[in-house]
Amino acid sequence: GESVGLHLPTLSVQEGDNSIINCAYSNSASDYFIWYKQESGKGPQFIIDIRSNMDKRQGQRVTVLLNKTVKHLSLQIAATQPGDSAVYFCAENTAYNNNDMRFGAGTRLTVKP
Amino acid sequence: DAGVIQSPRHEVTEMGQEVTLRCKPISGHNSLFWYRQTMMRGLELLIYFNNNVPIDDSGMPEDRFSAKMPNASFSTLKIQPSEPRDSAVYFCASSRDTYNSPLHFGNGTRLTVT
């Protein structure tokens, strides 16, 4: 029979373009958010985090934006490279859950050379 | 910095056998987590420890699963008896603090139960 699995959103970009990956979260009490990158055969790798008292944070080639009003998180990758091809997860955490981190389904980013 | 170390990387076993997965967290981290990843359900938290004490095991599927953390540098996840539906990638992660601290993941153990 047909297997049913998570349908990962996909994003395909040209090398050198900017990428924007979006994430909606549901818990309005969440106050700490993280983006992870997972390459094939590896565990999720920490990219950048943001606390709820901020709406923007920048790292090396990456920027995370947080919109608490609409419970939306985004990851922007500047000058996307082939090595950026991976599945990207957002994760949320609340003090109430004491570091019980919940992950989204993920978005698959493919970078075309 | 060695990172989180998991063993084995791959495990193939027959239904009914006992399986033990191992994890060495990053030194100095006081929280440890076991996750399971499948295509059907994504990343699921199974259990987490703080200072070697299990805090939340509500994600453990059933009594066939058990986890221990005898000291700050070692944890095991045991499945007994294993079933084909347990086939998945099992990740261990650790974090420095209990809150507002990113998790650092190992590279996982891919378990196949035939």
Side-chain angles (χ1 to χ4, degrees):
Chain A
E2 183 181 6
S3 65
V4 177
L6 288 174
H7 173 67
L8 283 186
T10 58
L11 175 65
S12 183
V13 300
Q14 204 70 38
E15 181 178 359
D17 287 351
N18 296 333
S19 303
I20 300 176
I21 301 171
N22 296 303
C23 179
Y25 64 95
S26 56
N27 188 351
S28 57
S30 293
D31 55 6
Y32 178 57
F33 305 88
I34 303 179
W35 279 101
Y36 287 91
K37 170 187 180 183
Q38 186 175 22
E39 297 174 276
S40 180
K42 296 185 178 180
Q45 177 187 5
F46 169 77
I47 302 174
I48 191 168
D49 58 3
I50 188 168
R51 289 167 175 70
S52 60
N53 61 351
M54 304 170 68
D55 52 22
K56 180 179 180 179
R57 191 169 187 215
Q58 289 184 290
Q60 187 175 17
R61 283 201 307 118
V62 295
T63 301
V64 55
L65 299 178
L66 174 63
N67 186 330
K68 295 182 288 293
T69 302
V70 295
K71 291 185 284 190
H72 183 267
L73 193 68
S74 69
L75 177 71
Q76 301 177 0
I77 305 173
T80 314
Q81 303 168 359
D84 295 327
S85 294
V87 177
Y88 289 80
F89 294 94
C90 65
E92 60 183 296
N93 189 23
T94 67
Y96 177 79
N97 282 327
N98 195 29
N99 212 23
D100 177 8
M101 196 161 293
R102 302 292 178 178
F103 288 80
T107 296
R108 184 177 301 281
L109 173 66
T110 301
V111 182
K112 296 176 289 187
Chain B
D1 194 355
V4 175
I5 299 172
Q6 291 186 247
S7 64
R9 285 283 278 139
H10 302 274
E11 178 81 36
V12 180
T13 191
E14 292 184 345
M15 177 177 170
Q17 296 298 306
E18 176 181 306
V19 175
T20 300
L21 311 181
R22 297 173 175 78
C23 175
K24 177 178 168 52
I26 293 173
S27 178
H29 284 193
N30 60 20
S31 293
L32 183 139
F33 306 76
W34 283 100
Y35 281 84
R36 177 171 68 177
Q37 186 176 43
T38 62
M39 286 297 295
M40 293 287 290
R41 302 172 71 92
L43 268 168
E44 300 175 278
L45 177 66
L46 300 177
I47 185 171
Y48 82 89
F49 295 83
N50 187 40
N51 292 325
N52 313 339
V53 176
I55 302 301
D56 183 357
D57 65 354
S58 60
M60 296 286 262
E62 47 199 270
D63 292 345
R64 297 185 298 105
F65 285 68
S66 62
K68 294 182 179 180
M69 191 165 185
N71 57 61
S73 60
F74 185 65
S75 176
T76 59
L77 178 68
K78 183 179 292 186
I79 308 172
Q80 179 185 22
S82 58
E83 297 182 3
R85 60 191 168 127
D86 302 330
S87 297
V89 181
Y90 290 81
F91 288 104
C92 176
S94 68
S95 68
R96 188 188 313 276
D97 301 310
T98 57
Y99 176 61
N100 277 357
S101 179
L103 273 60
H104 297 266
F105 285 80
N107 282 328
T109 295
R110 179 174 294 277
L111 173 65
T112 303
V113 183
T114 61

